[in-house]
């Protein structure tokens, strides 16, 4: 027999979620440095005391917003790459889907632009590897196992090279005056590189 969850726990979780949602919106709109905790609490319709109850400060809230954005991206990319039974097509679809994500304002601002500065390079890289790198590594492993690009390349090395290229592409798209064109140009290059790896 299922037991009902205490209302206090549900309220606490909904308050935390409201704060994270508010933080994602405001950090996307104004950036980390131009967003205050007062604004976040106000948009979430909670007190600043409630904010500090859940988060130790602005950086902790930023990291929660970062995680929320990345978790959403990983869920969508995982769905895309698992939709196809063909590892080659799954890889192509996943790469295209990732480049589309790079056009989204929350991903650009929170993950690509503010993430390294706010979290520090090492912490940001560690967080990135916990999210999108994991999806990419799984895709590369499937591609190698299928024989599409041979089976003699080290999985981690190849995944890191591809991840580095995609990270650079994401940075270029986020900083471009013409992000849609930049994404299209990068997509062509990524496709060409991928085709160059294909056996036969």
């Amino acid at each position: 027999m299922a037991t009902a969850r205490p209302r206090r726990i549900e309220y606490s979780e909904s308050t935390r979620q409201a704060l994270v949602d508010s933080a994602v919106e405001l950090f996307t709109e104004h950036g980390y440095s131009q967003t205050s905790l007062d604004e976040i609490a106000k948009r979430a319709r909670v007190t600043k005391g409630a904010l500090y109850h859940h988060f130790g400060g602005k950086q902790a809230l930023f990291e929660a917003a970062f995680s929320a954005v990345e978790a959403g991206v990983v869920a969508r990319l995982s769905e895309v790459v698992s939709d196809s039974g063909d590892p080659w097509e799954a890889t192509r679809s996943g790469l295209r889907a990732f480049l589309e994500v790079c056009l989204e304002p929350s991903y650009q601002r929170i993950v690509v632009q503010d993430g390294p500065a706010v979290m520090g390079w090492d912490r940001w890289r560690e967080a990135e590897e916990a999210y999108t790198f994991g999806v990419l590594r799984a895709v590369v492993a499937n591609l190698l196992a299928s024989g599409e690009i041979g089976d003699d390349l080290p999985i981690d090395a190849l995944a890191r090279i591809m991840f580095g290229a995609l990270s650079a592409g994401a940075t270029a798209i986020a900083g471009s005056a013409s992000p849609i064109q930049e994404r299209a140009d990068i997509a062509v290059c990524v496709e060409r590189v991928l085709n160059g790896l294909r056996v036969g």
Side-chain angles (χ1 to χ4, degrees), residues 17-38:
Q17 188 61 53
L19 285 164
V20 172
D21 292 344
S22 174
V24 169
E25 292 170 8
L26 287 165
F27 288 142
T28 299
E29 291 169 19
H30 307 297
Y32 180 80
S33 62
Q34 298 299 314
T35 299
S36 72
L37 292 180
D38 287 325

PDB file of all heavy atoms in Angstrom, residues 17-38:
ATOM      1  N   GLN A  17      12.086  23.578  -7.099  1.00  0.00           N
ATOM      2  CA  GLN A  17      11.915  23.555  -8.552  1.00  0.00           C
ATOM      3  C   GLN A  17      11.569  24.942  -9.095  1.00  0.00           C
ATOM      4  O   GLN A  17      12.058  25.352 -10.154  1.00  0.00           O
ATOM      5  CB  GLN A  17      10.826  22.556  -8.950  1.00  0.00           C
ATOM      6  CG  GLN A  17      10.734  22.331 -10.452  1.00  0.00           C
ATOM      7  CD  GLN A  17      12.019  21.781 -11.025  1.00  0.00           C
ATOM      8  OE1 GLN A  17      12.540  20.772 -10.559  1.00  0.00           O
ATOM      9  NE2 GLN A  17      12.561  22.459 -12.035  1.00  0.00           N
ATOM     10  N   ALA A  18      10.740  25.681  -8.360  1.00  0.00           N
ATOM     11  CA  ALA A  18      10.385  27.040  -8.776  1.00  0.00           C
ATOM     12  C   ALA A  18      11.620  27.935  -8.806  1.00  0.00           C
ATOM     13  O   ALA A  18      11.782  28.766  -9.709  1.00  0.00           O
ATOM     14  CB  ALA A  18       9.332  27.620  -7.834  1.00  0.00           C
ATOM     15  N   LEU A  19      12.499  27.763  -7.835  1.00  0.00           N
ATOM     16  CA  LEU A  19      13.735  28.551  -7.792  1.00  0.00           C
ATOM     17  C   LEU A  19      14.647  28.205  -8.962  1.00  0.00           C
ATOM     18  O   LEU A  19      15.223  29.098  -9.603  1.00  0.00           O
ATOM     19  CB  LEU A  19      14.461  28.317  -6.465  1.00  0.00           C
ATOM     20  CG  LEU A  19      13.852  29.018  -5.259  1.00  0.00           C
ATOM     21  CD1 LEU A  19      14.377  28.420  -3.960  1.00  0.00           C
ATOM     22  CD2 LEU A  19      14.133  30.528  -5.312  1.00  0.00           C
ATOM     23  N   VAL A  20      14.770  26.920  -9.263  1.00  0.00           N
ATOM     24  CA  VAL A  20      15.623  26.504 -10.383  1.00  0.00           C
ATOM     25  C   VAL A  20      15.049  27.015 -11.698  1.00  0.00           C
ATOM     26  O   VAL A  20      15.778  27.550 -12.545  1.00  0.00           O
ATOM     27  CB  VAL A  20      15.796  24.973 -10.404  1.00  0.00           C
ATOM     28  CG1 VAL A  20      16.517  24.524 -11.679  1.00  0.00           C
ATOM     29  CG2 VAL A  20      16.572  24.501  -9.177  1.00  0.00           C
ATOM     30  N   ASP A  21      13.739  26.871 -11.874  1.00  0.00           N
ATOM     31  CA  ASP A  21      13.099  27.361 -13.103  1.00  0.00           C
ATOM     32  C   ASP A  21      13.297  28.861 -13.266  1.00  0.00           C
ATOM     33  O   ASP A  21      13.599  29.355 -14.358  1.00  0.00           O
ATOM     34  CB  ASP A  21      11.604  27.041 -13.100  1.00  0.00           C
ATOM     35  CG  ASP A  21      11.319  25.546 -13.205  1.00  0.00           C
ATOM     36  OD1 ASP A  21      12.243  24.789 -13.573  1.00  0.00           O
ATOM     37  OD2 ASP A  21      10.181  25.144 -12.902  1.00  0.00           O
ATOM     38  N   SER A  22      13.106  29.580 -12.178  1.00  0.00           N
ATOM     39  CA  SER A  22      13.289  31.030 -12.180  1.00  0.00           C
ATOM     40  C   SER A  22      14.731  31.385 -12.515  1.00  0.00           C
ATOM     41  O   SER A  22      15.007  32.311 -13.305  1.00  0.00           O
ATOM     42  CB  SER A  22      12.906  31.595 -10.811  1.00  0.00           C
ATOM     43  OG  SER A  22      13.193  32.969 -10.725  1.00  0.00           O
ATOM     44  N   ALA A  23      15.675  30.653 -11.923  1.00  0.00           N
ATOM     45  CA  ALA A  23      17.098  30.897 -12.182  1.00  0.00           C
ATOM     46  C   ALA A  23      17.441  30.649 -13.644  1.00  0.00           C
ATOM     47  O   ALA A  23      18.167  31.441 -14.265  1.00  0.00           O
ATOM     48  CB  ALA A  23      17.951  30.018 -11.275  1.00  0.00           C
ATOM     49  N   VAL A  24      16.927  29.573 -14.209  1.00  0.00           N
ATOM     50  CA  VAL A  24      17.189  29.279 -15.627  1.00  0.00           C
ATOM     51  C   VAL A  24      16.699  30.432 -16.496  1.00  0.00           C
ATOM     52  O   VAL A  24      17.412  30.918 -17.388  1.00  0.00           O
ATOM     53  CB  VAL A  24      16.530  27.954 -16.061  1.00  0.00           C
ATOM     54  CG1 VAL A  24      16.566  27.802 -17.580  1.00  0.00           C
ATOM     55  CG2 VAL A  24      17.218  26.760 -15.394  1.00  0.00           C
ATOM     56  N   GLU A  25      15.490  30.890 -16.233  1.00  0.00           N
ATOM     57  CA  GLU A  25      14.922  31.988 -17.025  1.00  0.00           C
ATOM     58  C   GLU A  25      15.752  33.260 -16.911  1.00  0.00           C
ATOM     59  O   GLU A  25      16.089  33.894 -17.918  1.00  0.00           O
ATOM     60  CB  GLU A  25      13.489  32.272 -16.572  1.00  0.00           C
ATOM     61  CG  GLU A  25      12.498  31.171 -16.897  1.00  0.00           C
ATOM     62  CD  GLU A  25      11.146  31.402 -16.217  1.00  0.00           C
ATOM     63  OE1 GLU A  25      10.946  32.475 -15.628  1.00  0.00           O
ATOM     64  OE2 GLU A  25      10.299  30.489 -16.282  1.00  0.00           O
ATOM     65  N   LEU A  26      16.087  33.646 -15.689  1.00  0.00           N
ATOM     66  CA  LEU A  26      16.782  34.919 -15.474  1.00  0.00           C
ATOM     67  C   LEU A  26      18.244  34.861 -15.888  1.00  0.00           C
ATOM     68  O   LEU A  26      18.767  35.838 -16.453  1.00  0.00           O
ATOM     69  CB  LEU A  26      16.643  35.358 -14.021  1.00  0.00           C
ATOM     70  CG  LEU A  26      15.244  35.866 -13.674  1.00  0.00           C
ATOM     71  CD1 LEU A  26      15.041  35.947 -12.166  1.00  0.00           C
ATOM     72  CD2 LEU A  26      14.985  37.229 -14.315  1.00  0.00           C
ATOM     73  N   PHE A  27      18.923  33.746 -15.629  1.00  0.00           N
ATOM     74  CA  PHE A  27      20.305  33.626 -16.084  1.00  0.00           C
ATOM     75  C   PHE A  27      20.360  33.629 -17.615  1.00  0.00           C
ATOM     76  O   PHE A  27      21.305  34.148 -18.209  1.00  0.00           O
ATOM     77  CB  PHE A  27      20.958  32.351 -15.542  1.00  0.00           C
ATOM     78  CG  PHE A  27      21.274  32.392 -14.066  1.00  0.00           C
ATOM     79  CD1 PHE A  27      21.112  31.254 -13.282  1.00  0.00           C
ATOM     80  CD2 PHE A  27      21.755  33.543 -13.463  1.00  0.00           C
ATOM     81  CE1 PHE A  27      21.411  31.277 -11.920  1.00  0.00           C
ATOM     82  CE2 PHE A  27      22.050  33.583 -12.092  1.00  0.00           C
ATOM     83  CZ  PHE A  27      21.882  32.443 -11.328  1.00  0.00           C
ATOM     84  N   THR A  28      19.341  33.048 -18.249  1.00  0.00           N
ATOM     85  CA  THR A  28      19.291  33.056 -19.715  1.00  0.00           C
ATOM     86  C   THR A  28      19.057  34.475 -20.233  1.00  0.00           C
ATOM     87  O   THR A  28      19.712  34.916 -21.183  1.00  0.00           O
ATOM     88  CB  THR A  28      18.175  32.118 -20.223  1.00  0.00           C
ATOM     89  OG1 THR A  28      18.444  30.785 -19.788  1.00  0.00           O
ATOM     90  CG2 THR A  28      18.081  32.141 -21.740  1.00  0.00           C
ATOM     91  N   GLU A  29      18.132  35.185 -19.612  1.00  0.00           N
ATOM     92  CA  GLU A  29      17.785  36.536 -20.065  1.00  0.00           C
ATOM     93  C   GLU A  29      18.890  37.556 -19.815  1.00  0.00           C
ATOM     94  O   GLU A  29      19.174  38.396 -20.665  1.00  0.00           O
ATOM     95  CB  GLU A  29      16.507  37.009 -19.363  1.00  0.00           C
ATOM     96  CG  GLU A  29      15.255  36.269 -19.783  1.00  0.00           C
ATOM     97  CD  GLU A  29      14.064  36.593 -18.878  1.00  0.00           C
ATOM     98  OE1 GLU A  29      14.103  37.626 -18.177  1.00  0.00           O
ATOM     99  OE2 GLU A  29      13.105  35.807 -18.860  1.00  0.00           O
ATOM    100  N   HIS A  30      19.502  37.495 -18.626  1.00  0.00           N
ATOM    101  CA  HIS A  30      20.406  38.569 -18.213  1.00  0.00           C
ATOM    102  C   HIS A  30      21.848  38.143 -17.964  1.00  0.00           C
ATOM    103  O   HIS A  30      22.720  39.005 -17.795  1.00  0.00           O
ATOM    104  CB  HIS A  30      19.876  39.230 -16.932  1.00  0.00           C
ATOM    105  CG  HIS A  30      18.458  39.677 -17.038  1.00  0.00           C
ATOM    106  ND1 HIS A  30      18.041  40.644 -17.940  1.00  0.00           N
ATOM    107  CD2 HIS A  30      17.340  39.282 -16.378  1.00  0.00           C
ATOM    108  CE1 HIS A  30      16.734  40.826 -17.810  1.00  0.00           C
ATOM    109  NE2 HIS A  30      16.278  40.013 -16.879  1.00  0.00           N
ATOM    110  N   GLY A  31      22.104  36.846 -17.920  1.00  0.00           N
ATOM    111  CA  GLY A  31      23.441  36.376 -17.588  1.00  0.00           C
ATOM    112  C   GLY A  31      23.641  36.317 -16.084  1.00  0.00           C
ATOM    113  O   GLY A  31      22.884  36.906 -15.313  1.00  0.00           O
ATOM    114  N   TYR A  32      24.665  35.601 -15.673  1.00  0.00           N
ATOM    115  CA  TYR A  32      24.923  35.388 -14.254  1.00  0.00           C
ATOM    116  C   TYR A  32      25.187  36.693 -13.513  1.00  0.00           C
ATOM    117  O   TYR A  32      24.594  36.967 -12.468  1.00  0.00           O
ATOM    118  CB  TYR A  32      26.117  34.446 -14.097  1.00  0.00           C
ATOM    119  CG  TYR A  32      26.487  34.153 -12.661  1.00  0.00           C
ATOM    120  CD1 TYR A  32      25.781  33.212 -11.925  1.00  0.00           C
ATOM    121  CD2 TYR A  32      27.553  34.801 -12.047  1.00  0.00           C
ATOM    122  CE1 TYR A  32      26.111  32.925 -10.600  1.00  0.00           C
ATOM    123  CE2 TYR A  32      27.900  34.515 -10.728  1.00  0.00           C
ATOM    124  CZ  TYR A  32      27.178  33.590 -10.019  1.00  0.00           C
ATOM    125  OH  TYR A  32      27.517  33.317  -8.714  1.00  0.00           O
ATOM    126  N   SER A  33      26.077  37.505 -14.035  1.00  0.00           N
ATOM    127  CA  SER A  33      26.511  38.704 -13.301  1.00  0.00           C
ATOM    128  C   SER A  33      25.410  39.746 -13.169  1.00  0.00           C
ATOM    129  O   SER A  33      25.409  40.526 -12.222  1.00  0.00           O
ATOM    130  CB  SER A  33      27.746  39.321 -13.964  1.00  0.00           C
ATOM    131  OG  SER A  33      27.446  39.741 -15.274  1.00  0.00           O
ATOM    132  N   GLN A  34      24.468  39.747 -14.084  1.00  0.00           N
ATOM    133  CA  GLN A  34      23.413  40.761 -14.073  1.00  0.00           C
ATOM    134  C   GLN A  34      22.114  40.267 -13.433  1.00  0.00           C
ATOM    135  O   GLN A  34      21.094  40.948 -13.491  1.00  0.00           O
ATOM    136  CB  GLN A  34      23.115  41.239 -15.505  1.00  0.00           C
ATOM    137  CG  GLN A  34      24.301  41.907 -16.190  1.00  0.00           C
ATOM    138  CD  GLN A  34      24.762  43.142 -15.440  1.00  0.00           C
ATOM    139  OE1 GLN A  34      23.960  43.976 -15.040  1.00  0.00           O
ATOM    140  NE2 GLN A  34      26.070  43.251 -15.216  1.00  0.00           N
ATOM    141  N   THR A  35      22.166  39.099 -12.827  1.00  0.00           N
ATOM    142  CA  THR A  35      20.973  38.537 -12.176  1.00  0.00           C
ATOM    143  C   THR A  35      21.187  38.502 -10.665  1.00  0.00           C
ATOM    144  O   THR A  35      22.211  38.018 -10.196  1.00  0.00           O
ATOM    145  CB  THR A  35      20.702  37.106 -12.682  1.00  0.00           C
ATOM    146  OG1 THR A  35      20.473  37.146 -14.094  1.00  0.00           O
ATOM    147  CG2 THR A  35      19.482  36.504 -12.003  1.00  0.00           C
ATOM    148  N   SER A  36      20.226  39.019  -9.929  1.00  0.00           N
ATOM    149  CA  SER A  36      20.347  39.026  -8.467  1.00  0.00           C
ATOM    150  C   SER A  36      19.488  37.922  -7.851  1.00  0.00           C
ATOM    151  O   SER A  36      18.498  37.471  -8.451  1.00  0.00           O
ATOM    152  CB  SER A  36      19.915  40.376  -7.903  1.00  0.00           C
ATOM    153  OG  SER A  36      18.506  40.519  -8.000  1.00  0.00           O
ATOM    154  N   LEU A  37      19.859  37.514  -6.657  1.00  0.00           N
ATOM    155  CA  LEU A  37      19.066  36.525  -5.930  1.00  0.00           C
ATOM    156  C   LEU A  37      17.681  37.066  -5.598  1.00  0.00           C
ATOM    157  O   LEU A  37      16.702  36.315  -5.558  1.00  0.00           O
ATOM    158  CB  LEU A  37      19.795  36.084  -4.663  1.00  0.00           C
ATOM    159  CG  LEU A  37      21.071  35.262  -4.876  1.00  0.00           C
ATOM    160  CD1 LEU A  37      21.694  34.894  -3.539  1.00  0.00           C
ATOM    161  CD2 LEU A  37      20.789  33.999  -5.689  1.00  0.00           C
ATOM    162  N   ASP A  38      17.596  38.372  -5.357  1.00  0.00           N
ATOM    163  CA  ASP A  38      16.287  38.990  -5.093  1.00  0.00           C
ATOM    164  C   ASP A  38      15.349  38.784  -6.279  1.00  0.00           C
ATOM    165  O   ASP A  38      14.166  38.464  -6.103  1.00  0.00           O
ATOM    166  CB  ASP A  38      16.450  40.490  -4.808  1.00  0.00           C
ATOM    167  CG  ASP A  38      17.057  40.754  -3.436  1.00  0.00           C
ATOM    168  OD1 ASP A  38      16.762  39.995  -2.502  1.00  0.00           O
ATOM    169  OD2 ASP A  38      17.828  41.718  -3.308  1.00  0.00           O
TER     170      ASP A  38
END
